[in-house]
Amino acid sequence: MATPRFTVTYRIRSDATSIEARAQAIAVEQSVEMPVSAIAEAEILRDIVGRVEGIDPRGDDVFDVRIGLATATVGEDAGQFLNMLFGNSSLLEDVALVDVDVSADLVAAFGGPRHGIEGFRRRSGAYGRALTCSALKPQGVTSARLAQLAGQFARGGIDFIKDDHGLADQPYSPFAERVAEIASAAGTARYVPSLSGDLDAMRRQIDIALRHGIDTVMIAPMLAGWATMRTLVRQYPELAFFAHPTMGGAARIIPDLLIGKLFRLLGADAVIFPNYGGRFGYSPATCRRLGDRARRMWDGVRPSLPVPAGGMTLERVPEMLDFYGPDAMLLIGGSLLAARERLTEETAAFTRAVARHSYR
Amino acid sequence: MATPRFTVTYRIRSDATSIEARAQAIAVEQSVEMPVSAIAEAEILRDIVGRVEGIDPRGDDVFDVRIGLATATVGEDAGQFLNMLFGNSSLLEDVALVDVDVSADLVAAFGGPRHGIEGFRRRSGAYGRALTCSALKPQGVTSARLAQLAGQFARGGIDFIKDDHGLADQPYSPFAERVAEIASAAGTARYVPSLSGDLDAMRRQIDIALRHGIDTVMIAPMLAGWATMRTLVRQYPELAFFAHPTMGGAARIIPDLLIGKLFRLLGADAVIFPNYGGRFGYSPATCRRLGDRARRMWDGVRPSLPVPAGGMTLERVPEMLDFYGPDAMLLIGGSLLAARERLTEETAAFTRAVARHSYR
């Protein structure tokens, strides 16, 4: 029986005469990382060495190369999964990771969100419309000030209030103090604290959050390490997880793959990403694909909730709702905070716009 | 008194008329991530918001922008350090991280290698010459086979034998079994097993390694998470650490900064990197800078041992020794393994070439 494999697609800049050799070299780099001629064992050549499954020209000396890698090289280790996907090849300037066809055994090993879109709707009672979110910032202010902002967001009717991803465990708003104050100020809104530090620190933070009735946390997979995230998703099945894209280095891993598909597979119930037309350069096409990948049918993997963000404004709410549909969470941060003393009213205008929208 | 800051340099593609606004936008993105006009607190504007310290044109619509970030935003959390350095800006296609002027308090917080170059020399008794290293591969073979290769490397007189970074805890060579067999086969050579999984798994692996008398391990900071690495460096002061560059995504973080300086700061006693003229596209100039950064005087931070690798051959040993000097470790993997049944003799030729070299 053939060894189970998963297929990884790399986009390679190369002239046509050398693409076959390049493809073969990447297949070796991402598997045995040594001259194939030096491998004596027939079963390694058959079962472990990466296999070029196809080369598709995309024009202008760019090719998509599909390589089959042995599932046995990954096991159930999410860090090793990333290593096999793009480890050494991430060092090659002319190679980008563009797709992964995740095999059934890897789906079973990682399993995706525990809660996903339906879980968020059930918890917040938000059906038939998009969900709403804002962010607590700037870092540097006191926990009391963040709690005051949370109270204003909550009175404006917002569903979720997340920490800015810059909030870690700094002395100006230490995690334990901040979570206690914000959780009690957030009322009916769900407060989503951001995890930081190593696995031990994140467990301590989760224990604090759970004591305050919190059921959702945020993690940055590219900072924490994929293995750290997987361990937490497995250890705390009652928690829902937002994935933050920080350090996503989107130029080398195609963002809809990294954020829409891989963070979903790791167990992100919601995936935050920079919306088109904001502070980051994602195109509408990238955002469309990212949203599709987060939500589309995937046997054994729940949908993740797409959370477009990054410089969004109240004015863009109708356009975003039409673009993403109701299975989305709109995150508006700085633009709400800019209302200052009118924060509650501005938040209420945001939540009303979402509640009343007629989808095109 | 002014708040302590560290200076980060970003290389930005931009036309000259908008570079000032771009620089200011990045300073905000990497600090408070919200409209500055929405910040009421004077002390946040003064102490926390990133400050543009200089803009240096590099020609062709490229600028180096220096931004001062508050040390208080980092604390002692290495993951948060990476987040502040390049978190959201890593999502901008036209921005690269090119330098960090690490402040004294961050040096004190992270501290760099526990052992560094001198520690490797003392442990292996290798003075006045470069150190030597090879790698155990391919993944997929049994622990017994890897141990056999280790024995041949050792009899050839090599200093260090590291796991291939693809070796995790797979069923074909589980960590505990592999470490036991290789440690006993490695003789006078030092075996460097590769850590994988989450923090808990890495601690279990280190405990196993310590029981077998191992004093050096390898970790991939970009897979494990920087906080994970820092915790292990701090928890096991007797261990020396090799840093593996996998997932280094060098196109967006300048490699001599990431590998030569930042991995050193995190505590890597040795930093592995792709040498010029091998399988990866690093230039001689990049490698020169990387080697310099790993070793140059840095108050309070020991030098790290540069380990050029990635497709190196015996023929290139003299050239590499002249390029890096004796404070280096040469790592030749696949090319030694290609000797197959003559592995011991080929290894001996390698170690002889290093021992007898007269530096230009």
Side-chain angles (χ1 to χ4, degrees):
Chain A
M1 208 194 84
T3 183
R5 288 177 187 261
F6 60 103
T7 300
V8 188
T9 304
Y10 302 97
R11 187 157 295 162
I12 304 178
R13 231 180 309 113
S14 169
D15 57 77
T17 55
S18 48
I19 183 62
E20 288 201 28
R22 286 297 312 276
Q24 185 56 37
I26 304 257
V28 169
E29 189 67 58
Q30 289 303 115
S31 56
V32 293
E33 202 197 333
M34 65 179 288
V36 172
S37 63
I39 299 176
E41 297 81 357
E43 65 276 18
I44 303 299
L45 296 169
R46 187 188 64 219
D47 294 341
I48 301 291
V49 174
R51 182 181 296 160
V52 177
E53 296 179 349
I55 299 177
D56 303 315
R58 294 180 57 88
D60 290 333
D61 285 344
V62 172
F63 296 85
D64 278 0
V65 171
R66 280 171 289 119
I67 293 176
L69 297 174
T71 304
T73 60
V74 172
E76 304 207 342
D77 179 348
Q80 173 66 3
F81 182 39
L82 179 57
N83 196 23
M84 292 304 298
L85 284 180
F86 201 41
N88 272 6
S89 293
S90 79
L91 303 170
L92 297 166
E93 293 228 11
D94 52 2
V95 176
L97 173 62
V98 296
D99 207 359
V100 190
D101 185 10
V102 182
S103 59
D105 39 359
L106 288 178
V107 168
F110 298 122
R114 293 284 174 274
H115 305 277
I117 293 177
E118 184 51 32
F120 286 118
R121 292 202 179 284
R122 195 176 329 113
R123 284 162 175 219
S124 52
Y127 289 98
R129 62 161 173 87
L131 294 94
T132 55
C133 184
S134 193
L136 296 172
K137 23 183 153 179
Q139 61 165 307
V141 301
T142 61
S143 301
R145 171 67 180 142
L146 296 170
Q148 183 188 31
L149 293 171
Q152 291 174 285
F153 282 135
R155 285 191 293 280
I158 214 154
D159 297 318
F160 288 83
I161 304 168
K162 75 169 200 49
D163 275 347
D164 186 25
H165 79 288
L167 293 177
D169 197 15
Q170 298 101 337
Y172 37 72
S173 55
F175 188 90
E177 174 195 284
R178 171 172 102 233
V179 167
E181 299 197 18
I182 298 171
S184 83
T188 56
R190 299 194 119 63
Y191 168 48
V192 184
S194 180
L195 304 178
S196 60
D198 64 17
L199 180 59
D200 292 341
M202 289 185 178
R203 284 185 177 128
R204 284 193 300 271
Q205 290 164 5
I206 287 176
D207 290 341
I208 291 167
L210 289 173
R211 281 204 296 280
H212 290 284
I214 284 166
D215 60 12
T216 309
V217 296
M218 183 168 79
I219 188 168
M222 303 307 285
L223 292 181
W226 288 20
T228 305
M229 176 168 175
R230 274 303 300 158
T231 296
L232 293 176
V233 167
R234 201 175 299 222
Q235 185 178 348
Y236 298 96
E238 70 277 32
L239 277 182
F241 286 81
F242 279 37
H244 195 283
T246 185
M247 268 305 292
R252 303 297 301 288
I253 305 184
I254 295 291
D256 46 295
L257 170 66
L258 180 68
I259 300 170
K261 184 169 181 178
L262 295 174
F263 288 180
R264 175 183 177 188
L265 180 66
L266 287 180
D269 296 281
V271 291
I272 302 168
F273 62 96
N275 195 32
Y276 63 91
R279 292 198 308 274
F280 302 88
Y282 287 13
S283 67
T286 291
C287 291
R288 171 82 66 200
R289 280 195 304 270
L290 200 164
D292 287 350
R293 286 188 138 174
R295 296 176 295 192
R296 71 181 171 209
M297 278 287 295
W298 186 357
D299 219 28
V301 182
R302 290 186 184 81
S304 292
L305 187 62
V307 188
M312 293 302 100
T313 57
L314 196 46
E315 292 66 43
R316 290 194 57 193
V317 165
E319 166 213 343
M320 290 172 69
L321 290 171
D322 284 331
F323 189 88
Y324 291 105
D327 273 343
M329 177 187 287
L330 302 197
L331 196 174
I332 304 185
S335 156
L336 290 185
L337 291 162
R340 300 179 73 149
E341 65 284 356
R342 290 191 59 266
L343 179 56
T344 299
E345 294 78 357
E346 192 79 356
T347 305
F350 172 33
T351 60
R352 265 199 314 273
V354 171
R356 293 179 179 170
H357 187 73
S358 302
Y359 291 89
R360 273 194 302 160
Chain B
M1 207 194 84
T3 182
R5 290 177 185 261
F6 59 103
T7 301
V8 188
T9 305
Y10 302 96
R11 187 157 296 161
I12 305 178
R13 230 181 308 114
S14 169
D15 56 77
T17 54
S18 48
I19 183 61
E20 288 200 30
R22 286 299 311 277
Q24 186 55 38
I26 304 253
V28 169
E29 188 67 57
Q30 288 304 116
S31 57
V32 293
E33 202 198 335
M34 66 179 288
V36 172
S37 63
I39 299 176
E41 297 80 359
E43 65 275 18
I44 303 299
L45 296 169
R46 185 187 65 217
D47 295 341
I48 302 290
V49 173
R51 181 181 299 160
V52 178
E53 297 178 347
I55 299 178
D56 303 316
R58 294 181 56 89
D60 289 336
D61 284 345
V62 172
F63 296 85
D64 278 0
V65 170
R66 282 173 287 118
I67 293 176
L69 297 175
T71 305
T73 60
V74 173
E76 304 206 342
D77 178 348
Q80 173 66 2
F81 182 40
L82 179 58
N83 196 24
M84 292 305 299
L85 285 179
F86 201 41
N88 272 7
S89 292
S90 80
L91 303 170
L92 296 166
E93 294 228 9
D94 52 2
V95 176
L97 174 62
V98 296
D99 206 0
V100 190
D101 185 10
V102 181
S103 57
D105 41 357
L106 289 177
V107 169
F110 298 124
R114 292 285 173 275
H115 306 277
I117 293 178
E118 183 52 31
F120 286 119
R121 293 203 178 281
R122 194 173 333 114
R123 283 163 177 218
S124 53
Y127 289 99
R129 63 163 174 84
L131 294 96
T132 56
C133 183
S134 192
L136 296 171
K137 20 182 153 181
Q139 63 165 305
V141 300
T142 62
S143 301
R145 172 65 181 145
L146 296 171
Q148 185 188 30
L149 294 171
Q152 292 173 284
F153 282 134
R155 286 192 292 281
I158 211 154
D159 296 317
F160 288 84
I161 304 168
K162 75 169 202 45
D163 276 346
D164 186 25
H165 80 287
L167 293 176
D169 197 15
Q170 298 101 337
Y172 38 72
S173 56
F175 188 91
E177 175 195 283
R178 172 171 102 233
V179 167
E181 299 197 18
I182 298 171
S184 81
T188 56
R190 298 192 122 61
Y191 168 48
V192 185
S194 180
L195 304 178
S196 60
D198 64 18
L199 179 60
D200 292 340
M202 289 185 178
R203 283 184 177 132
R204 284 193 300 271
Q205 291 165 4
I206 287 176
D207 290 340
I208 291 167
L210 290 172
R211 282 203 295 278
H212 290 283
I214 285 167
D215 61 12
T216 309
V217 296
M218 183 168 79
I219 188 168
M222 303 307 285
L223 292 181
W226 289 20
T228 304
M229 176 169 175
R230 273 304 301 159
T231 296
L232 293 176
V233 167
R234 199 176 299 223
Q235 185 178 348
Y236 299 95
E238 71 277 31
L239 277 182
F241 286 81
F242 279 38
H244 194 283
T246 184
M247 269 306 293
R252 303 299 300 288
I253 305 185
I254 296 292
D256 47 294
L257 170 67
L258 181 67
I259 299 170
K261 183 169 181 178
L262 294 174
F263 287 180
R264 175 182 177 189
L265 180 66
L266 286 180
D269 296 281
V271 291
I272 302 169
F273 62 95
N275 195 30
Y276 64 91
R279 294 197 308 273
F280 301 88
Y282 287 14
S283 68
T286 292
C287 292
R288 172 82 66 202
R289 280 195 304 270
L290 199 163
D292 287 349
R293 287 189 137 175
R295 296 176 295 191
R296 71 180 170 209
M297 278 287 295
W298 186 357
D299 218 30
V301 182
R302 291 186 182 81
S304 292
L305 188 63
V307 188
M312 293 302 99
T313 58
L314 197 44
E315 292 66 43
R316 291 194 57 193
V317 165
E319 167 212 344
M320 290 171 71
L321 290 172
D322 284 331
F323 189 87
Y324 291 105
D327 273 342
M329 177 186 286
L330 302 197
L331 196 174
I332 305 185
S335 155
L336 291 185
L337 291 162
R340 299 178 72 148
E341 65 284 355
R342 291 189 58 268
L343 180 56
T344 299
E345 293 80 358
E346 192 80 356
T347 305
F350 171 33
T351 60
R352 266 199 313 273
V354 171
R356 294 177 179 173
H357 187 73
S358 302
Y359 291 89
R360 273 193 301 157

